[in-house]
Amino acid sequence: MSDSKNIVLTGIRPTGALHIGHLVGALIANVEIQNQGDYARMYGMIADAQGLTDNFDNPDKVRENVMEVALDMLAVGYDPKKTTMFIQSEVAELTELTFYYMNLVTVARLQRNPTVKTEIAQKEKFNGGVPVGFFTYPISQAADITAFGANIVPVGQDQLPMIEQTAEIVNKFNNIYGETLVLPHAVVPKAQAAARLPGTDGNAKMSKSLNNCIYLKDSAEDIAAKVKTMFTDPNHLRVEDPGNTKDNPVFIYLSVFAKPEHFAAFLPEYANYEELAAHYERGGLGDVKVKKFLNSVLQETLEPIRARRESFVARPDDVMDILREGTKVARAAAAETVNHVKRAMKLNYFE
Ligand code: ATP
Ligand code: MG
């Protein structure tokens, strides 16, 4: 064990199975930190209560996906001996913190949160009005992060406004009630393509709710079929035409996933991504060939994850035990923070 003081938290909403956007946006960073050992504690939260804020009418969906997401986390290398995996709704202290933090955030500030704005605009079911629970979910996310004293939060780019909002809450709380909460820092992938991986349809974000995903649990056949029908450059009609790699998800995925060893194994005429992209841009390279290569790269990347997943699918009771034990640990840590918070707010009458 290192003498690191880092506390790391990742949160995933159980609103669907996880996809390759989650993998490169947040999951890989988490597993890397976990395996390098520079931390005091690591948490992997399944945010079911937050998932309900826009799926309150579909509790079965959220419940079923708790297991799916737990399997995906284990599949990519979350190690329950190192990372405390837990279920958000089982830690009641988080709602208590949310209630206190609500005093520290204005309605106008929430309305300005760009991620909340985008998400509200995308959700047709909110046309009749936005539920208060969804509108205030950045506050509950601040509770999730601060309850565990997390200073490192690996996330995709869309979550930056949430970490910013959490930092504001932390600063305001500490200013008013005295130094109590820890300031979090977001860890976002350096490459823009990984920080927000686009969808197979060319949409700016691969997202469970947009049906444009390659899932970690997709079979080899599913992956091949999805790659085959992926959006590319619509103006690249003939092989000899010059092509656009910038807004082309096939190339964006290759820039993230294709390693030199993939080129050596599957496309040795090119040494690396840059050579392949240059050929496409000058013309003379067909989409079929590039897609075939992308398929090989994704198969190679996802096959071991899928195999690991299968090993846990066969033991659902063990997975529930992991979550049960993790939740106990998380609850104890959050209870400690609530005690500090209440004492700071002078709500400790019976101490
Ligand atoms: P939902 O549509 O229900 O919000 P989601 O696909 O956005 O689902 P979340 O559970 O909200 O998934 O996000 C989990 C983590 O994955 C967050 O850190 C988020 O930033 C990251 N993430 C989600 N989609 C992408 C993507 N396309 N590229 C990179 N990171 C992503
Ligand atoms: Mg999301």
Side-chain angles (χ1 to χ4, degrees):
M1 253 296 155
S2 78
D3 53 6
S4 169
K5 299 236 172 357
N6 289 330
I7 298 185
V8 186
L9 178 120
T10 47
I12 310 278
R13 294 153 43 92
T15 50
L18 299 186
H19 52 62
I20 58 174
H22 299 117
L23 182 66
V24 294
L27 303 176
I28 286 179
N30 188 85
V31 172
E32 269 174 15
I33 299 170
Q34 172 192 277
N35 294 341
Q36 281 159 5
D38 182 16
Y39 61 88
R41 279 224 118 104
M42 299 209 46
Y43 296 94
M45 180 181 74
I46 303 181
D48 61 336
Q50 191 190 113
L52 276 174
T53 61
D54 52 342
N55 294 283
F56 51 84
D57 49 356
N58 200 348
D60 289 330
K61 170 176 159 186
V62 173
R63 187 186 172 101
E64 283 157 20
N65 280 305
V66 167
M67 186 48 125
E68 291 298 314
V69 164
L71 290 168
D72 285 331
M73 289 163 91
L74 292 164
V76 300
Y78 276 68
D79 175 353
K81 289 199 198 72
K82 297 177 177 163
T83 299
T84 301
M85 292 172 58
F86 71 98
I87 302 180
Q88 183 189 30
S89 66
E90 290 289 326
V91 182
E93 286 78 4
L94 298 175
T95 56
E96 203 174 348
L97 287 177
T98 304
F99 191 62
Y100 298 132
Y101 295 169
M102 282 186 169
N103 301 331
L104 308 177
V105 183
T106 65
V107 172
R109 176 64 183 88
L110 283 173
Q111 277 166 337
R112 277 201 308 274
N113 184 311
T115 302
V116 175
K117 255 197 212 165
T118 312
E119 288 174 342
I120 287 175
Q122 277 173 355
K123 291 183 204 301
E124 258 170 55
K125 70 165 146 197
F126 289 175
N127 284 350
V130 180
V132 173
F134 184 83
F135 180 59
T136 55
Y137 92 73
I139 304 179
S140 98
Q141 207 163 312
D144 302 333
I145 294 168
T146 55
F148 303 99
N151 62 326
I152 295 179
V153 189
V155 283
Q157 197 174 43
D158 66 308
Q159 290 300 308
L160 283 177
M162 303 302 163
I163 311 299
E164 210 176 293
Q165 184 129 38
T166 302
E168 283 173 33
I169 291 172
V170 167
N171 285 329
K172 195 155 182 188
F173 189 101
N174 289 349
N175 277 335
I176 299 174
Y177 305 111
E179 210 53 43
T180 311
L181 302 175
V182 177
L183 204 59
H185 298 280
V187 174
V188 182
K190 278 188 210 71
Q192 167 64 29
R196 192 186 62 192
L197 197 77
T200 51
D201 58 353
N203 188 294
K205 183 178 174 244
M206 180 176 286
S207 170
K208 296 166 207 158
S209 2
L210 297 177
N211 198 19
N212 59 5
C213 307
I214 293 176
Y215 292 102
L216 302 181
K217 67 171 186 177
D218 275 347
S219 67
E221 296 73 31
D222 288 342
I223 297 168
K226 287 181 182 182
V227 171
K228 214 175 233 171
T229 57
M230 260 180 84
F231 178 87
T232 61
D233 173 5
N235 298 317
H236 186 245
L237 298 174
R238 290 164 308 174
V239 171
E240 56 277 18
D241 291 340
N244 169 6
T245 57
K246 299 279 171 308
D247 312 306
N248 183 334
V250 173
F251 275 88
I252 295 174
Y253 292 3
L254 284 174
S255 78
V256 173
F257 291 100
K259 308 263 176 315
E261 51 279 21
H262 293 131
F263 282 94
F266 306 117
L267 205 57
E269 313 135 68
Y270 305 91
N272 53 37
Y273 173 80
E274 285 69 28
E275 285 184 15
L276 185 75
H279 192 184
Y280 191 79
E281 284 176 5
R282 43 170 207 274
L285 177 56
D287 283 305
V288 173
K289 184 166 177 178
V290 184
K291 283 184 167 181
K292 211 171 145 212
F293 177 53
L294 175 62
N295 179 55
S296 305
V297 171
L298 289 179
Q299 298 291 357
E300 190 94 343
T301 307
L302 296 178
E303 198 277 326
I305 294 178
R306 195 164 58 235
R308 217 176 128 74
R309 197 179 195 281
E310 285 310 312
S311 73
F312 285 103
V313 168
R315 308 153 38 201
D317 293 346
D318 291 348
V319 177
M320 283 321 282
D321 284 343
I322 288 168
L323 296 178
R324 189 179 294 110
E325 290 312 307
T327 300
K328 273 188 211 153
V329 173
R331 206 183 278 148
E336 216 174 293
T337 302
V338 168
N339 281 340
H340 293 314
V341 161
K342 291 183 77 177
R343 199 173 301 140
M345 297 178 79
K346 312 213 177 292
L347 302 174
N348 55 336
Y349 309 105
F350 305 127
E351 248 185 18

